[in-house]
């Protein structure tokens, strides 16, 4: 991925360094800023340049010349179609759903989108991905608790459990999970006639505060997954490229289709991330099989992510992959597809 520093960005936009800096600081051009001990360094991936040009309705990069660094311009980045809800799913565990959902959500936030990351997995890995803390007694479980007691749930009840996670370059909102979520979700099966609608009911209360809601799901079929799928407009499938991965995808498709029919809810599989790919012939065979299947299903967004210790390292430090301090140029290629998907969704909005 091509990355520009401040001077190169200014040149691309035919601006002085000062004006380029002002446009970056007003977040009219999305970027990643690193604070060193002596100076700040700005990094602008080409994908962000393209995004800024398109979303501001400019013809070319040099049209930036006309722009004044006015934060009101940010409004032109805003969603026109209302909030989009995207679930990251696979019935198989350990394939990277959480890693990709969390990083994708962060990349959307970098593009100035208001993003709510919802953890529907009682393992609560998403909750801890950036926050590095536990949310016992302070999670989405509390909201389900109230619902199963048949008490009215308001937007205030939901907002009480949404926590902001602030980074240097962006802010995300998180609706965390905890271990006992699974139990309370199952309990709702006996309490409600249409239990699969309950997450959608919760999110409806706060939807207008966000441009995107990103949901991470557990690695199994069950009510938590059904709730997430029912609340979603789009599903992104995350898979590895191993034997049985293709079978697993078939099962997930079937599950999604059946649920869509049963509940009369239109949810579309929008992308496939083939993750943890190693350099080997056997992997390329599985990648081909998965890509073929995606093509048959009419899915255009198929991304491949290599296995990389950098993703794990950044996760261990609770930092988004693109913000991981050292060797940004080396990390961005691993993050590229997650950025690309974020740019694509943000542009559609
Ligand atoms: N591309 C990658 N390269 C190296 N490690 C990865 C990659 N993607 C994910 N991992 C690691 O694999 C492990 C599982 O990832 P993750 O938790 O995102 O998967 P998951 O599908 O959400 O798992 P679960 O089904 O348990 O929820 C984590 O330790 C994560 O850091
Ligand atoms: Mg997970």
């Amino acid at each position: 991925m091509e990355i520009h520093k401040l001077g190169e960005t200014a040149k691309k936009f035919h601006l002085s360094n000062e004006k380029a800096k002002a446009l970056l600081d007003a977040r009219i051009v999305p970027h990643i800023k690193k604070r060193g001990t002596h100076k700040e360094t700005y990094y602008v991936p080409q994908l962000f340049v393209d995004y800024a040009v398109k979303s501001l309705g400019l013809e070319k990069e040099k049209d930036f010349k006309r722009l004044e660094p006015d934060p009101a311009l940010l409004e032109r980045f805003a969603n026109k179609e209302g909030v989009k809800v995207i679930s990251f799913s696979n019935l198989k565990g350990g394939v990277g759903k959480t890693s990709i959902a969390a990083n994708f959500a962060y990349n959307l936030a970098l593009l100035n989108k208001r993003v709510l990351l919802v953890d529907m997995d009682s393992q609560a890995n998403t909750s801890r991905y950036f926050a590095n803390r536990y949310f016992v007694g302070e999670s989405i479980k509390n909201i389900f608790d109230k619902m199963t007691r048949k008490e009215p749930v308001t937007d205030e009840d939901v907002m009480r459990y949404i926590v902001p996670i602030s980074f240097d370059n962006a802010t995300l909102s998180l609706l965390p999970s905890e271990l006992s979520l699974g139990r309370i979700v199952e309990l709702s099966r006996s309490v409600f006639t249409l239990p699969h609608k309950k997450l959608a009911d919760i999110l409806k209360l706060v939807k207008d505060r966000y441009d995107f809601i990103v949901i991470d799901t557990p690695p199994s079929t069950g009510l938590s997954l059904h709730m997430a799928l029912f609340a979603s407009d789009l599903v992104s499938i995350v898979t590895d490229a191993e034997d049985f991965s293709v079978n697993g995808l078939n099962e997930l498709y079937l599950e999604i289709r059946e649920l869509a029919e049963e509940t009369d809810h239109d949810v579309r599989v929008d992308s496939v991330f083939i993750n943890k790919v190693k350099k080997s012939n056997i992997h390329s065979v599985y990648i081909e099989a998965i890509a073929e299947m995606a093509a048959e299903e009419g899915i255009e967004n198929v991304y491949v992510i290599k296995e990389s210790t950098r993703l794990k390292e950044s996760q261990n430090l609770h930092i988004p992959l693109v913000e991981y301090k050292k060797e940004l140029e080396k990390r961005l290629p691993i993050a590229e597809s997650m950025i690309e998907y974020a740019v694509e969704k943000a542009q559609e909005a």
Side-chain angles (χ1 to χ4, degrees), residues 6 12 29 45 71 96 126 131 133 140 143 188 195 208 224 237 279 281 321 327 344:
L6 177 62
K12 265 195 116 41
V29 184
T126 306
R133 52 167 286 216
I140 189 166
I143 308 168
S188 65
D208 57 354
S224 293
I237 294 181
K279 265 195 203 138
N281 288 342
L321 184 57
E327 303 171 309
E344 153 126 13

PDB file of all heavy atoms in Angstrom, residues 6 12 29 45 71 96 126 131 133 140 143 188 195 208 224 237 279 281 321 327 344:
ATOM      1  N   LEU A   6       3.537  13.856   5.440  1.00  0.00           N
ATOM      2  CA  LEU A   6       2.941  15.190   5.294  1.00  0.00           C
ATOM      3  C   LEU A   6       3.378  15.915   4.002  1.00  0.00           C
ATOM      4  O   LEU A   6       2.534  16.368   3.233  1.00  0.00           O
ATOM      5  CB  LEU A   6       3.272  16.050   6.520  1.00  0.00           C
ATOM      6  CG  LEU A   6       2.760  17.495   6.459  1.00  0.00           C
ATOM      7  CD1 LEU A   6       1.241  17.525   6.388  1.00  0.00           C
ATOM      8  CD2 LEU A   6       3.250  18.295   7.659  1.00  0.00           C
ATOM      9  N   LYS A  12       0.813  16.056  -3.323  1.00  0.00           N
ATOM     10  CA  LYS A  12      -0.276  15.375  -4.046  1.00  0.00           C
ATOM     11  C   LYS A  12      -1.476  16.293  -4.213  1.00  0.00           C
ATOM     12  O   LYS A  12      -2.158  16.283  -5.227  1.00  0.00           O
ATOM     13  CB  LYS A  12      -0.719  14.126  -3.271  1.00  0.00           C
ATOM     14  CG  LYS A  12      -0.048  12.862  -3.735  1.00  0.00           C
ATOM     15  CD  LYS A  12      -0.755  11.644  -3.210  1.00  0.00           C
ATOM     16  CE  LYS A  12      -1.375  10.758  -4.259  1.00  0.00           C
ATOM     17  NZ  LYS A  12      -0.726  10.465  -5.464  1.00  0.00           N
ATOM     18  N   VAL A  29      -9.035  15.166   5.695  1.00  0.00           N
ATOM     19  CA  VAL A  29      -8.336  14.036   5.089  1.00  0.00           C
ATOM     20  C   VAL A  29      -8.016  13.041   6.213  1.00  0.00           C
ATOM     21  O   VAL A  29      -7.261  13.360   7.125  1.00  0.00           O
ATOM     22  CB  VAL A  29      -7.018  14.483   4.415  1.00  0.00           C
ATOM     23  CG1 VAL A  29      -6.368  13.297   3.718  1.00  0.00           C
ATOM     24  CG2 VAL A  29      -7.273  15.618   3.447  1.00  0.00           C
ATOM     25  N   PRO A  45      -2.436   6.828   3.932  1.00  0.00           N
ATOM     26  CA  PRO A  45      -2.491   5.773   2.919  1.00  0.00           C
ATOM     27  C   PRO A  45      -3.255   6.268   1.687  1.00  0.00           C
ATOM     28  O   PRO A  45      -4.208   7.047   1.833  1.00  0.00           O
ATOM     29  CB  PRO A  45      -3.264   4.646   3.601  1.00  0.00           C
ATOM     30  CG  PRO A  45      -3.152   4.927   5.065  1.00  0.00           C
ATOM     31  CD  PRO A  45      -3.081   6.422   5.183  1.00  0.00           C
ATOM     32  N   PRO A  71     -13.856  22.527   9.661  1.00  0.00           N
ATOM     33  CA  PRO A  71     -14.386  21.259  10.180  1.00  0.00           C
ATOM     34  C   PRO A  71     -15.825  20.982   9.725  1.00  0.00           C
ATOM     35  O   PRO A  71     -16.264  19.838   9.731  1.00  0.00           O
ATOM     36  CB  PRO A  71     -14.316  21.436  11.691  1.00  0.00           C
ATOM     37  CG  PRO A  71     -13.287  22.472  11.909  1.00  0.00           C
ATOM     38  CD  PRO A  71     -13.360  23.395  10.723  1.00  0.00           C
ATOM     39  N   GLY A  96     -10.491 -15.490  13.270  1.00  0.00           N
ATOM     40  CA  GLY A  96     -10.143 -14.072  13.183  1.00  0.00           C
ATOM     41  C   GLY A  96     -11.338 -13.129  13.135  1.00  0.00           C
ATOM     42  O   GLY A  96     -11.187 -11.944  12.813  1.00  0.00           O
ATOM     43  N   THR A 126     -13.845  -9.270  22.089  1.00  0.00           N
ATOM     44  CA  THR A 126     -13.968  -7.953  21.453  1.00  0.00           C
ATOM     45  C   THR A 126     -13.968  -6.855  22.505  1.00  0.00           C
ATOM     46  O   THR A 126     -13.379  -5.790  22.312  1.00  0.00           O
ATOM     47  CB  THR A 126     -15.286  -7.877  20.653  1.00  0.00           C
ATOM     48  OG1 THR A 126     -15.303  -8.970  19.758  1.00  0.00           O
ATOM     49  CG2 THR A 126     -15.404  -6.587  19.886  1.00  0.00           C
ATOM     50  N   ALA A 131     -10.000  -2.372  25.012  1.00  0.00           N
ATOM     51  CA  ALA A 131     -10.253  -1.762  26.319  1.00  0.00           C
ATOM     52  C   ALA A 131      -9.386  -2.328  27.437  1.00  0.00           C
ATOM     53  O   ALA A 131      -9.183  -1.677  28.450  1.00  0.00           O
ATOM     54  CB  ALA A 131     -11.724  -1.914  26.683  1.00  0.00           C
ATOM     55  N   ARG A 133      -9.935  -4.492  29.756  1.00  0.00           N
ATOM     56  CA  ARG A 133     -10.567  -4.620  31.064  1.00  0.00           C
ATOM     57  C   ARG A 133     -11.782  -5.543  30.957  1.00  0.00           C
ATOM     58  O   ARG A 133     -12.217  -5.874  29.852  1.00  0.00           O
ATOM     59  CB  ARG A 133     -10.989  -3.253  31.622  1.00  0.00           C
ATOM     60  CG  ARG A 133     -11.842  -2.409  30.675  1.00  0.00           C
ATOM     61  CD  ARG A 133     -12.485  -1.243  31.378  1.00  0.00           C
ATOM     62  NE  ARG A 133     -13.582  -1.693  32.216  1.00  0.00           N
ATOM     63  CZ  ARG A 133     -14.712  -0.987  32.391  1.00  0.00           C
ATOM     64  NH1 ARG A 133     -14.852   0.197  31.827  1.00  0.00           N
ATOM     65  NH2 ARG A 133     -15.682  -1.457  33.153  1.00  0.00           N
ATOM     66  N   ILE A 140     -23.780  -5.636  27.949  1.00  0.00           N
ATOM     67  CA  ILE A 140     -25.062  -5.801  27.241  1.00  0.00           C
ATOM     68  C   ILE A 140     -25.942  -6.815  27.977  1.00  0.00           C
ATOM     69  O   ILE A 140     -27.158  -6.791  27.854  1.00  0.00           O
ATOM     70  CB  ILE A 140     -24.794  -6.235  25.773  1.00  0.00           C
ATOM     71  CG1 ILE A 140     -26.076  -6.193  24.944  1.00  0.00           C
ATOM     72  CG2 ILE A 140     -24.152  -7.622  25.692  1.00  0.00           C
ATOM     73  CD1 ILE A 140     -25.845  -6.278  23.448  1.00  0.00           C
ATOM     74  N   ILE A 143     -28.671  -5.324  29.923  1.00  0.00           N
ATOM     75  CA  ILE A 143     -29.830  -4.855  29.146  1.00  0.00           C
ATOM     76  C   ILE A 143     -30.777  -6.029  28.881  1.00  0.00           C
ATOM     77  O   ILE A 143     -31.995  -5.912  29.046  1.00  0.00           O
ATOM     78  CB  ILE A 143     -29.379  -4.190  27.828  1.00  0.00           C
ATOM     79  CG1 ILE A 143     -28.329  -3.113  28.110  1.00  0.00           C
ATOM     80  CG2 ILE A 143     -30.584  -3.598  27.088  1.00  0.00           C
ATOM     81  CD1 ILE A 143     -27.621  -2.601  26.869  1.00  0.00           C
ATOM     82  N   SER A 188     -33.838 -15.879  27.338  1.00  0.00           N
ATOM     83  CA  SER A 188     -34.814 -15.067  26.605  1.00  0.00           C
ATOM     84  C   SER A 188     -35.628 -15.926  25.629  1.00  0.00           C
ATOM     85  O   SER A 188     -36.713 -15.544  25.214  1.00  0.00           O
ATOM     86  CB  SER A 188     -34.127 -13.906  25.871  1.00  0.00           C
ATOM     87  OG  SER A 188     -33.283 -14.395  24.876  1.00  0.00           O
ATOM     88  N   PRO A 195     -37.632 -14.233  20.234  1.00  0.00           N
ATOM     89  CA  PRO A 195     -36.386 -13.847  20.911  1.00  0.00           C
ATOM     90  C   PRO A 195     -35.295 -13.328  19.967  1.00  0.00           C
ATOM     91  O   PRO A 195     -34.482 -12.495  20.375  1.00  0.00           O
ATOM     92  CB  PRO A 195     -35.938 -15.144  21.601  1.00  0.00           C
ATOM     93  CG  PRO A 195     -36.640 -16.237  20.892  1.00  0.00           C
ATOM     94  CD  PRO A 195     -37.928 -15.671  20.404  1.00  0.00           C
ATOM     95  N   ASP A 208     -29.621   5.966  15.852  1.00  0.00           N
ATOM     96  CA  ASP A 208     -29.440   7.280  15.221  1.00  0.00           C
ATOM     97  C   ASP A 208     -28.182   8.007  15.701  1.00  0.00           C
ATOM     98  O   ASP A 208     -27.833   9.059  15.178  1.00  0.00           O
ATOM     99  CB  ASP A 208     -30.695   8.160  15.409  1.00  0.00           C
ATOM    100  CG  ASP A 208     -31.020   8.332  16.873  1.00  0.00           C
ATOM    101  OD1 ASP A 208     -30.346   7.690  17.719  1.00  0.00           O
ATOM    102  OD2 ASP A 208     -31.937   9.113  17.195  1.00  0.00           O
ATOM    103  N   SER A 224     -27.595 -16.246  20.073  1.00  0.00           N
ATOM    104  CA  SER A 224     -26.759 -15.038  19.977  1.00  0.00           C
ATOM    105  C   SER A 224     -26.459 -14.710  18.522  1.00  0.00           C
ATOM    106  O   SER A 224     -26.528 -13.553  18.098  1.00  0.00           O
ATOM    107  CB  SER A 224     -25.425 -15.227  20.713  1.00  0.00           C
ATOM    108  OG  SER A 224     -25.655 -15.332  22.091  1.00  0.00           O
ATOM    109  N   ILE A 237     -18.174 -12.683   6.242  1.00  0.00           N
ATOM    110  CA  ILE A 237     -17.731 -14.005   6.704  1.00  0.00           C
ATOM    111  C   ILE A 237     -16.222 -13.990   6.837  1.00  0.00           C
ATOM    112  O   ILE A 237     -15.513 -13.538   5.940  1.00  0.00           O
ATOM    113  CB  ILE A 237     -18.170 -15.102   5.713  1.00  0.00           C
ATOM    114  CG1 ILE A 237     -19.697 -15.202   5.695  1.00  0.00           C
ATOM    115  CG2 ILE A 237     -17.546 -16.446   6.087  1.00  0.00           C
ATOM    116  CD1 ILE A 237     -20.241 -16.258   4.763  1.00  0.00           C
ATOM    117  N   LYS A 279       2.008 -19.079   3.185  1.00  0.00           N
ATOM    118  CA  LYS A 279       2.516 -19.325   1.835  1.00  0.00           C
ATOM    119  C   LYS A 279       2.634 -20.821   1.614  1.00  0.00           C
ATOM    120  O   LYS A 279       3.618 -21.433   1.967  1.00  0.00           O
ATOM    121  CB  LYS A 279       3.906 -18.705   1.701  1.00  0.00           C
ATOM    122  CG  LYS A 279       3.884 -17.312   1.105  1.00  0.00           C
ATOM    123  CD  LYS A 279       5.276 -16.914   0.669  1.00  0.00           C
ATOM    124  CE  LYS A 279       5.373 -15.410   0.621  1.00  0.00           C
ATOM    125  NZ  LYS A 279       6.600 -14.888   1.145  1.00  0.00           N
ATOM    126  N   ASN A 281       1.091 -24.199  -1.102  1.00  0.00           N
ATOM    127  CA  ASN A 281       0.225 -24.577  -2.216  1.00  0.00           C
ATOM    128  C   ASN A 281      -1.145 -25.022  -1.740  1.00  0.00           C
ATOM    129  O   ASN A 281      -2.149 -24.717  -2.346  1.00  0.00           O
ATOM    130  CB  ASN A 281       0.864 -25.718  -3.001  1.00  0.00           C
ATOM    131  CG  ASN A 281       2.040 -25.221  -3.788  1.00  0.00           C
ATOM    132  OD1 ASN A 281       2.174 -24.014  -4.010  1.00  0.00           O
ATOM    133  ND2 ASN A 281       2.898 -26.129  -4.184  1.00  0.00           N
ATOM    134  N   LEU A 321      -4.339  -2.364  14.724  1.00  0.00           N
ATOM    135  CA  LEU A 321      -3.189  -2.752  13.911  1.00  0.00           C
ATOM    136  C   LEU A 321      -2.526  -1.550  13.239  1.00  0.00           C
ATOM    137  O   LEU A 321      -1.301  -1.431  13.218  1.00  0.00           O
ATOM    138  CB  LEU A 321      -3.656  -3.771  12.858  1.00  0.00           C
ATOM    139  CG  LEU A 321      -2.611  -4.391  11.950  1.00  0.00           C
ATOM    140  CD1 LEU A 321      -1.519  -5.086  12.749  1.00  0.00           C
ATOM    141  CD2 LEU A 321      -3.275  -5.380  11.005  1.00  0.00           C
ATOM    142  N   GLU A 327       7.297   0.366  12.700  1.00  0.00           N
ATOM    143  CA  GLU A 327       7.239  -0.232  11.366  1.00  0.00           C
ATOM    144  C   GLU A 327       5.853  -0.161  10.738  1.00  0.00           C
ATOM    145  O   GLU A 327       5.330  -1.156  10.258  1.00  0.00           O
ATOM    146  CB  GLU A 327       7.620  -1.705  11.430  1.00  0.00           C
ATOM    147  CG  GLU A 327       8.971  -2.007  12.019  1.00  0.00           C
ATOM    148  CD  GLU A 327       9.128  -3.507  12.217  1.00  0.00           C
ATOM    149  OE1 GLU A 327       8.244  -4.127  12.826  1.00  0.00           O
ATOM    150  OE2 GLU A 327      10.132  -4.032  11.748  1.00  0.00           O
ATOM    151  N   GLU A 344     -14.604   1.121   1.379  1.00  0.00           N
ATOM    152  CA  GLU A 344     -15.689   0.746   0.469  1.00  0.00           C
ATOM    153  C   GLU A 344     -17.062   0.966   1.123  1.00  0.00           C
ATOM    154  O   GLU A 344     -17.970   1.537   0.530  1.00  0.00           O
ATOM    155  CB  GLU A 344     -15.484  -0.721   0.070  1.00  0.00           C
ATOM    156  CG  GLU A 344     -16.754  -1.423  -0.286  1.00  0.00           C
ATOM    157  CD  GLU A 344     -16.738  -2.096  -1.643  1.00  0.00           C
ATOM    158  OE1 GLU A 344     -15.658  -2.231  -2.217  1.00  0.00           O
ATOM    159  OE2 GLU A 344     -17.834  -2.453  -2.088  1.00  0.00           O
TER     160      GLU A 344
END
